[in-house]
Amino acid sequence: QVYVVFSEELKCWCRALVESIRCQADGYQLGCFLVDYAKYCSVASENIRVLAGAFAKIPHRAKKCRLYCTKPLTLRIDYRENTAKIGPAKRWDAAAIQHFRKLLE
């Protein structure tokens, strides 16, 4: 379900999908994906509202997607043997993400 949350970073109300809820000393923090900005943010529970009628039917501008059959790789350096090999990784590293964004631009 899509909600409306107030983004402190953007200083406006945005449509969002709630992905996680964390309990903290001063209340709950919601991990949200902003469907019109393709950003992730953390929002306090008092800054969330139910999306009203017709606004819920407007299509999202951002969609989550994955690259088909593309797996993350990393460079593994063995200092003892003085070698470097590219191998599989669990997550994309920051340099690979930055390189991919440059390619898209």
Side-chain angles (χ1 to χ4, degrees):
Q1 182 176 352
V2 179
Y3 295 94
V4 179
V5 298
F6 187 77
S7 169
E8 294 290 335
E9 179 185 349
L10 300 172
K11 303 288 187 232
C12 65
W13 290 89
C14 308
R15 295 184 301 161
L17 294 171
V18 176
E19 297 202 333
S20 64
I21 300 172
R22 292 183 308 275
C23 183
Q24 295 185 336
D26 57 346
Y28 291 95
Q29 284 285 69
L30 309 169
C32 298
F33 176 73
L34 304 180
V35 297
D36 293 319
Y37 296 93
K39 288 183 170 223
Y40 290 92
C41 69
S42 185
V43 177
S45 59
E46 59 267 7
N47 290 333
I48 186 169
R49 306 286 185 272
V50 175
L51 189 59
F55 292 110
K57 296 176 184 171
I58 298 171
H60 304 159
R61 293 180 63 199
K63 295 199 184 284
K64 291 184 187 179
C65 60
R66 295 174 187 247
L67 297 174
Y68 182 71
C69 290
T70 303
K71 307 269 187 218
L73 298 173
T74 189
L75 183 64
R76 300 189 191 280
I77 299 172
D78 187 348
Y79 292 105
R80 284 182 245 143
E81 295 183 18
N82 200 21
T83 60
K85 296 180 184 176
I86 293 179
K90 292 182 181 178
R91 299 182 55 138
W92 291 99
D93 61 12
I97 293 169
Q98 183 180 15
H99 177 69
F100 182 72
R101 286 185 177 155
K102 285 181 182 177
L103 289 174
L104 288 176
E105 290 173 359

